[in-house]
Amino acid sequence: MNVQELVPLALPRGRPLSCELCGGPAQLRCGACHVTYYCDVDHQKADWVSIHEKICQLLIPIRTSFPFFNSEKERKHGMEQLLHRQKHLVDFTHKVAQKFVFEGKHEEAIPAALHSLRFSIDTCGPDSVELVPAYLILAEASTGLGRLTQAEEYLSQAQWIVLKTSDCSNGIQSKLHRNLGLLYAAKGNFEESLYHLATDIYFASCAFGTHDISTSGGYFHMANVFFRQNKMDIADSLYTEVTDIWHAHFSRLIQVQSQTLTTLSCMLFIHLKCFILNIDEAQQAEASQVLNAILDIREQAPKQQPAKTANVVHALAMLHYLIFDFPKASHVTVTVCDPVIQDCIRIFTTKGAELRLHKLKLRDG
Amino acid sequence: MLSVYIRRPHCFYGQYTVPLQRQDLCFVWDWRHNWLKCWLKLNCLVSLNFFSFKFRIHLIKDKDAIDHYLSMNIKGLSKQEAAAYRNSYKKNICIDMLRQGYHKSFSELFTLIQKWNALREAAGPGSAIWQQKSLEEQPDKLDQLHHFLTRAEAAQRAEYYEEVYNNQLKLAYCFNNTEDKWLRNYFYEQCLSTAQLIKIDGGKKESEAHANMGLVNEEQGKSVHESAEHYETFHQLTLGRMWNDETADQMLENKEHQQAIKTLIKAFEMAKKGGDKKMEGEAAYCLGLAYHSAGEEQTAIIVINVTEAIEYLEKFVTVAKSAQLSRSLVDACISLGDIYNERGNYYKACEYFNQAFEAANTLTDLPLVDETKVYYGIAKAHNMMVAVNSHTDAADHVSIEYLLAWKENRSDMCTDPFTVGKTLVMKLFFLFPSVFFNEKKNDHTAV
């Protein structure tokens, strides 16, 4: 992190510089890009940790004024390029913010999400559907931090935009309702929360199908609400559903992978790296969060259900295996000490273990 | 007195002091400007200048009060209710199910609708299915699905599979028309898979489900094999189980008999086609038994039924003999004997009971042997009753001699038809003395 002091008096008139995070008068400047301003070191640090480190150099072409173009064609080209860059930044910042949220680092997610929102406003205008994801991430992070009024404000913005746009995609509506559901759950208003989560599941099913991993999130949150309402049987059945969805998803991935492996068994390990792309980071974070939560609940339940627990553990092991975290994969399977569960897993993972050995051999050879 | 500012564009502007009474004015609250407008009887717009200030403050206060009153006492639409009016019926039902946690019902309903749409797309315009209404557009059907599916899921959560089965079966019955065949078939399949989880009732539900599946397969014109398989499983399951269920409601039982007979005939034919001797025999036996029990309850059709029962049972006996199935042979023979006995053909009855007795002897099952013995004895006695009666009816000297000889000499005599069953006749004597006393009287009068 490179800090440069500013002397506000020496700045040109009529162009007030404001802090990247809070909008207050700027005192500092990032020394690497020279285009980002902050009011104090804390804000710069927060921004740096969250997003600035990754986009520092990308900001330069966007924030510096245009060079002088000679022809209309060049000007047009320049504008297009700018737009393209901004769009790229919107996507990138959004992804980063989402990952932070999935990992539970809400504080760090907020600057990234703010950037995403700002760039989307720049590219699409203040009330277009493209802003909704940014608002949603902001709301989610705020909910995570316990700033419920703030979150509600963001969500109301998003909902208003969605209401105004008649042909809003199902995916976005599903996300909106999921966040609303989470917000009401955090407020303790379970009925409202269940309504929104149900709507979320409906939209997600319309968009992706009832047994898709995108739908599983809605089921998971709903299960949590029922769990808190102490309706254990419903929560249990929903948790099972979520586990099944992830389990099936990973199994499918592994199957595809093993097929490709057998056909390309002579290839070098480097080529295998491309399989990592099977699961993007956000998905991976979500999967591990959800599955670990379910595993905790299953282990602490008064009535043990070894088969179901084993299913969760197996899904987790597959996840670690898919992201090439071999020690952890075996660790997960070993930490479960119950002999019954161990047995179940052994049956489940025999095939997985073979694959794993196969892959390890490939890596060595 | 009111000081009013009268605006009337083409006539006069200005401030007038007009004597006014309440009834001359019509007050209208102008919400946009938050002031009071009033109409004079003169039909001109008056805005109150002097008084309006006071009025305004007063009325604004009032407006808050009114809002409060409205929100407390008159329920407007909440966001959810507004959304419910805006959404389609299908969406409302789905959301309703999910809110109560019935996610399996939701995914089932959702997939069914999708499946139908896919079928329709595949068939293309111009086909029969293209003209039909989608499930989404039929609220009553959606309601039915919602009702039964959620109940089934609640039962499933409590692991009360019979209830699940019943609900699924009801759904299948709901869609028992030509248009919704696919739904009915789907729920029959579900019934079968649920029925396989039910252990308590001894496979009754499972057999029912198999019968239904057999029907479905047959209708769809699938391979004979498949439906035959279902029917055979059904009948294996029913064998010796369904008929023992005497606690069941009598009416229901009767109905089931008819249905069972139908299915059993099918099973029998399937078995014949399959060429499995043992299967065939068992099916025939079951059918015979079914007719037998149905015949007992419905005397009207007894003749047809009994003759058919006899036919099937005899078939079974021959099959059983060749297949060395002693136990079922005994059962079959006893049933046959029973039927002949009831119909008064005692000679045949004796024959079959004798066969049963012999078969039972080879089994070395003492109670069974005793049972067959008693049956045999009864049949013999009946057989003899005819002779005794004929002798007593004849009432001539020779007959009386005959009777007396038999009564004095109670040893077994091969030549004398009476002696074999005499002990049993004595038993009968204790049971129905009146018959014998009448005989005695006849004897005396004859003498």
Side-chain angles (χ1 to χ4, degrees), chain B residues 38 57 64 66 69 156 168 187 222 256 275 304 330 434:
Chain B
C38 60
I57 291 166
D64 282 350
I66 286 169
Y69 175 82
Q156 192 173 28
Q168 285 170 342
F187 285 113
K222 278 190 189 169
E256 269 179 25
I304 315 161
V330 173
S434 58

Side-chain angles (χ1 to χ4, degrees), chain A residues 66-72 74-79 81:
Chain A
F66 269 151
F68 182 76
F69 290 121
N70 285 320
S71 68
E72 177 66 31
E74 276 178 1
R75 259 195 296 282
K76 217 172 167 183
H77 179 71
M79 287 300 286
Q81 213 171 18

Side-chain angles (χ1 to χ4, degrees), chain A residues 224-360:
Chain A
N224 285 339
V225 174
F226 280 119
F227 188 75
R228 281 167 70 187
Q229 277 185 326
N230 223 3
K231 291 178 183 165
M232 289 307 170
D233 49 340
I234 304 179
D236 182 67
S237 126
L238 280 163
Y239 282 135
T240 318
E241 176 84 37
V242 175
T243 320
D244 287 347
I245 291 174
W246 281 108
H247 193 272
H249 180 67
F250 290 145
S251 305
R252 209 162 42 237
L253 283 183
I254 285 187
Q255 211 172 10
V256 170
Q257 202 166 338
S258 68
Q259 276 168 5
T260 333
L261 269 182
T262 43
T263 50
L264 305 173
S265 55
C266 53
M267 284 225 169
L268 286 173
F269 174 67
I270 305 218
H271 290 254
L272 298 177
K273 278 262 175 192
C274 62
F275 292 122
I276 302 175
L277 300 176
N278 275 335
I279 301 184
D280 68 20
E281 284 183 340
Q283 237 181 52
Q284 179 186 321
E286 190 190 350
S288 81
Q289 185 205 350
V290 166
L291 290 173
N292 277 316
I294 296 179
L295 185 60
D296 278 353
I297 288 165
R298 289 257 185 253
E299 276 174 349
Q300 281 158 13
K303 203 176 115 202
Q304 290 289 332
Q305 291 158 310
K308 287 179 180 173
T309 318
N311 224 348
V312 183
V313 175
H314 185 213
L316 260 179
M318 281 199 286
L319 169 68
H320 290 307
Y321 161 70
L322 278 169
I323 56 178
F324 290 83
D325 197 350
F326 296 111
K328 217 167 180 183
S330 50
H331 176 71
V332 168
T333 43
V334 170
T335 43
V336 185
C337 43
D338 193 334
V340 185
I341 297 180
Q342 281 278 350
D343 254 11
C344 293
I345 293 164
R346 209 165 298 137
I347 300 159
F348 277 140
T349 44
T350 350
K351 212 182 160 201
E354 278 167 21
L355 283 173
R356 197 172 307 158
L357 282 176
H358 187 55
K359 177 156 291 183
L360 284 171

Side-chain angles (χ1 to χ4, degrees), chain A residues 192 202-203 222 234 237 241, chain B residues 80 83 91 98 103 106 157:
Chain A
E192 196 83 4
Y202 177 79
F203 279 123
M222 206 172 211
I234 304 179
S237 126
E241 176 84 37
Chain B
Q80 287 180 24
K91 189 177 164 189
L98 281 169
H103 64 100
F106 159 73
R157 247 185 243 144

Side-chain angles (χ1 to χ4, degrees), chain B residues 115-391:
Chain B
K115 195 172 147 193
W116 191 86
N117 287 342
L119 275 179
R120 187 163 179 261
E121 286 298 322
S127 58
I129 195 173
W130 194 264
Q131 311 294 334
Q132 285 172 22
K133 252 187 182 179
S134 160
L135 210 55
E136 294 169 48
E137 293 154 16
Q138 302 178 50
D140 48 333
K141 280 184 187 164
L142 284 179
D143 270 338
Q144 270 170 349
L145 279 168
H146 172 235
H147 181 74
F148 289 116
L149 280 177
T150 48
R151 276 171 56 174
E153 196 182 345
Q156 192 173 28
R157 247 185 243 144
E159 298 190 345
Y160 189 49
Y161 292 111
E162 279 185 52
E163 188 64 33
V164 180
Y165 176 84
N166 287 340
N167 279 311
Q168 285 170 342
L169 199 63
K170 273 179 201 157
L171 269 178
Y173 289 152
C174 282
F175 297 109
N176 199 1
N177 50 23
T178 45
E179 212 171 86
D180 299 317
K181 273 267 156 65
W182 64 283
L183 267 177
R184 192 200 63 179
N185 298 350
Y186 172 81
F187 285 113
Y188 275 147
E189 273 168 39
Q190 295 291 311
C191 279
L192 181 60
S193 55
T194 317
Q196 275 158 358
L197 297 172
I198 304 175
K199 296 286 171 232
I200 315 157
D201 72 337
K204 191 174 167 190
K205 299 261 195 250
E206 198 179 341
S207 56
E208 208 177 300
H210 270 298
N212 286 335
M213 278 311 290
L215 192 75
V216 168
N217 282 341
E218 198 181 298
E219 268 186 12
Q220 285 177 346
K222 278 190 189 169
S223 63
V224 184
H225 253 293
E226 220 167 288
S227 47
E229 236 166 62
H230 279 296
Y231 280 130
E232 271 169 28
T233 345
F234 160 68
H235 128 259
Q236 266 176 348
L237 286 164
T238 24
L239 188 70
R241 274 184 190 151
M242 212 161 160
W243 322 115
N244 295 338
D245 190 9
E246 282 173 6
T247 50
D249 196 337
Q250 196 68 34
M251 276 299 290
L252 196 73
E253 190 78 15
N254 280 345
K255 268 188 201 162
E256 269 179 25
H257 275 312
Q258 290 307 319
Q259 196 128 33
I261 286 168
K262 259 187 226 159
T263 359
L264 274 171
I265 289 177
K266 270 179 202 155
F268 178 62
E269 276 155 16
M270 297 293 174
K272 257 200 266 181
K273 270 182 207 162
D276 182 352
K277 271 281 172 204
K278 194 182 163 201
M279 276 293 220
E280 190 183 328
E282 275 174 359
Y285 174 56
C286 260
L287 198 54
L289 269 189
Y291 271 126
H292 185 42
S293 51
E296 276 175 354
E297 284 150 23
Q298 300 171 350
T299 45
I301 46 173
I302 191 159
V303 188
I304 315 161
N305 277 357
V306 169
T307 44
E308 271 176 47
I310 291 170
E311 186 187 318
Y312 282 119
L313 277 172
E314 276 172 354
K315 258 185 212 166
F316 176 65
V317 168
T318 47
V319 172
K321 263 185 200 162
S322 61
Q324 301 289 322
L325 294 163
S326 305
R327 163 79 55 178
S328 12
L329 183 64
V330 173
D331 287 344
C333 285
I334 288 176
S335 316
L336 261 176
D338 221 16
I339 292 170
Y340 279 124
N341 198 8
E342 265 172 34
R343 304 190 73 203
N345 191 345
Y346 303 119
Y347 180 70
K348 275 261 184 191
C350 274
E351 198 176 281
Y352 277 111
F353 282 131
N354 191 18
Q355 272 187 24
F357 177 64
E358 276 162 15
N361 266 338
T362 59
L363 273 175
T364 65
D365 180 358
L366 269 181
L368 193 68
V369 173
D370 288 343
E371 202 185 322
T372 46
K373 239 192 245 170
V374 172
Y375 277 129
Y376 186 41
I378 289 172
K380 273 272 181 199
H382 275 142
N383 202 359
M384 240 176 318
M385 281 297 286
V386 184
V388 170
N389 280 343
S390 65
H391 280 304

Side-chain angles (χ1 to χ4, degrees), chain A residues 164-235:
Chain A
K164 277 201 294 187
T165 343
S166 51
D167 51 342
C168 197
S169 82
N170 285 331
I172 283 182
Q173 292 205 45
S174 132
K175 270 187 192 155
L176 169 69
H177 283 286
R178 183 168 305 174
N179 280 291
L180 279 168
L182 284 176
L183 174 75
Y184 284 115
K187 276 179 159 183
N189 186 350
F190 292 130
E191 277 311 306
E192 196 83 4
S193 159
L194 282 179
Y195 169 76
H196 284 295
L197 288 174
T199 322
D200 158 40
I201 295 175
Y202 177 79
F203 279 123
S205 302
C206 287
F208 312 105
T210 46
H211 286 87
D212 193 87
I213 46 168
S214 318
T215 323
S216 76
Y219 285 130
F220 176 67
H221 295 307
M222 206 172 211
N224 285 339
V225 174
F226 280 119
F227 188 75
R228 281 167 70 187
Q229 277 185 326
N230 223 3
K231 291 178 183 165
M232 289 307 170
D233 49 340
I234 304 179

